[in-house]
Amino acid sequence: MPDSQPQPPHSPFPSGPAGHGSLLLSGARLIDGRTVDVRLHGGRIEAVGTAGSLSVARPSGPGTRVDLTGYLLLPAPAEPHAHGDTALTADVPGPVSHEPEDVQRRVTEAALLQLGHGATALRAHVRVGDVPGLGALVAVLRARRALRGLAELTAVAMPRVLTGVAGADGLAMLRDAVKMGADVVGGCPDLDPDPAGYVEAVLEVAAEHGCPVDLHTDAADPARLARLAAMAGGLRPGVTVGPCDGLGRLPADVASRAADQLAAAGVAVLCLPQGPCAQGGAGGAAHREGTAPVRLLRAAGVRVTAGSGALRDVSNPVGRGDPLEAAYLLASRHGLRPEEAYDAVSGAARATLGLPEVRVDAGFPAELLAVRGDRLAGALSLAYGRIVVHRGRVVARTSAVREYGDTTASADPGLPRQGRGWRPEGWGTA
């Protein structure tokens, strides 16, 4: 079955808002089981109707149709925890280059890989002050401009030390990073000689500039986590901490109390089910094995989201950066229902990033992911074919064909086949 209607030879993707036309996604299946047509225009969902009820064109202009028969249509995932500046460096011989040109190339390539998986918005954590200076941030901001129209990239400035004499330069660099264009103030208090002082400095800079906060922490020290929650409580536009895998190693009553404190403070928790990332960059100590206790946190009312962490760097040389894999692991290893697991990489992730809610309904942003399959559980298990929509335009497409050798039995065994198109002699497709 073809993934879509044939497209003009000059472009593999249908036109969207840039062409002042509409995009009709026809025959898509929703999580609730309905099969619908979805028309997009101007970066938003204009209409949703029963299959076959909507036309391609609007009165104001032409439109394009994409056949989504056989696809499940979902709100697009978002990536709340990427390390694009160190991505794709696991096999690099010798020291990793932090020249802006090399960082920009890695960030761009990593973002496109994750866009192909479905993430139309990404939060990139970037070391500042020691890699050197603000060069990596400059590279990320350049990549953000280059990716405009394909994906939304935001940058988290991550200084290493902020307290004492050694931290004075880091604090000045953090303020410069925000002025330069960093969207989020972050870092790793666990690596500072004074973790509480580090958190206080980050929150102060964030309050000065009205920025969100995103902190790397193991969360293995309940007293330190309680103090962080107390300081962060009520800060707007919000605080995220992660990966918090140390919470899972605490006694149940201690972890439960910590979860209640985070919930009361409105602090979101970011977990990394696909594997570790390096705290504060490749030079830091990698997180221990394990993942935050997501069910306990959710039961306490904490917003829990899931990120990718390392993407084929020294911390995780096989990291995929795939939000659907993160959701699969939350369902298979941590007991979340498929809908809860997918929300951790979609709705909760978007909320953590300060993005508007997405539903497959009229009026909502046209940030969508179509995955081969008819049920969410199956899509998380075998998410091979994907079509990604950003701002009402198809921006990425992945397709796969599975082939099997023909049976040697003389009689037709009645095995299902996808079709009768070309295949090598002795092979069939399914």
Side-chain angles (χ1 to χ4, degrees), residues 17 28 33 72 102 134 141 145 160 184 200 207 222 239 276 303 343 381:
L72 185 68
D102 294 325
L134 295 171
L141 296 179
R145 290 192 292 271
R160 187 172 182 85
V184 185
E200 188 174 350
V239 177
R303 178 193 295 146
D343 179 70
S381 174

Side-chain angles (χ1 to χ4, degrees), residues 177-395:
V178 176
K179 293 174 184 176
M180 182 181 292
D183 308 276
V184 185
V185 180
C188 183
D190 297 356
L191 298 181
D192 194 283
D194 179 6
Y198 188 105
V199 172
E200 188 174 350
V202 165
L203 294 177
E204 180 180 339
V205 173
E208 288 174 4
H209 297 275
C211 294
V213 170
D214 197 326
L215 294 170
H216 289 56
T217 181
D218 182 63
D221 185 333
R224 184 185 299 173
L225 187 63
R227 185 167 182 180
L228 186 156
M231 288 190 290
L235 182 72
R236 295 292 179 267
V239 177
T240 302
V241 296
C244 296
D245 45 275
L247 274 177
R249 300 189 295 272
L250 295 174
D253 60 328
V254 177
S256 181
R257 186 160 55 249
D260 290 339
Q261 292 164 341
L262 292 171
V267 175
V269 169
L270 179 285
C271 66
L272 299 175
Q274 295 176 89
C277 73
Q279 298 187 46
H287 292 299
R288 298 186 182 96
E289 293 183 1
T291 302
V294 294
R295 295 181 66 184
L296 181 149
L297 290 164
R298 285 176 54 89
V302 177
R303 178 193 295 146
V304 178
T305 186
S308 297
L311 177 57
R312 303 213 302 268
D313 67 15
V314 295
S315 301
N316 186 3
V318 295
R320 294 184 187 177
D322 185 350
L324 267 64
E325 182 183 48
Y328 157 78
L329 291 170
L330 289 177
S332 66
R333 295 180 58 187
H334 299 278
L336 298 191
R337 294 185 296 106
E339 293 78 11
E340 296 171 336
Y342 188 74
D343 179 70
V345 301
S346 181
R350 288 185 60 87
T352 298
L353 298 184
L355 298 171
E357 180 185 11
V358 173
R359 298 182 195 168
V360 186
D361 206 351
F364 285 88
E367 304 288 323
L368 303 168
L369 171 64
V371 185
R372 279 283 187 188
D374 59 359
R375 293 288 187 274
L376 184 57
L380 296 184
S381 174
L382 296 170
Y384 294 137
R386 306 186 195 188
I387 297 175
V388 186
V389 174
H390 173 54
R391 293 187 176 181
R393 187 170 72 99
V394 174
V395 292

Side-chain angles (χ1 to χ4, degrees), residues 47-48 69 222 231 234 246 267 307 415:
V48 177
T69 303
M231 288 190 290
V267 175
L415 297 177

Side-chain angles (χ1 to χ4, degrees), residues 38-139:
V38 181
R39 189 168 61 214
L40 316 177
H41 184 76
R44 305 192 79 82
I45 299 172
E46 185 178 63
V48 177
T50 56
S53 67
L54 298 182
S55 63
V56 175
R58 304 168 74 251
S60 58
T64 305
R65 177 178 176 269
V66 174
D67 183 4
L68 291 187
T69 303
Y71 283 85
L72 185 68
L73 188 61
L74 305 164
E79 173 52 71
H81 193 103
H83 286 273
D85 54 343
T86 58
L88 311 173
T89 58
D91 298 324
V92 173
V96 174
S97 169
H98 292 287
E99 292 298 318
E101 295 78 10
D102 294 325
V103 174
Q104 181 178 350
R105 175 184 52 79
R106 293 196 298 262
V107 170
T108 304
E109 185 176 352
L112 290 175
L113 284 172
Q114 295 188 271
L115 174 64
H117 292 319
T120 62
L122 306 97
R123 176 179 280 186
H125 294 249
V126 190
R127 294 164 63 191
V128 299
D130 65 332
V131 287
L134 295 171
L137 177 62
V138 170

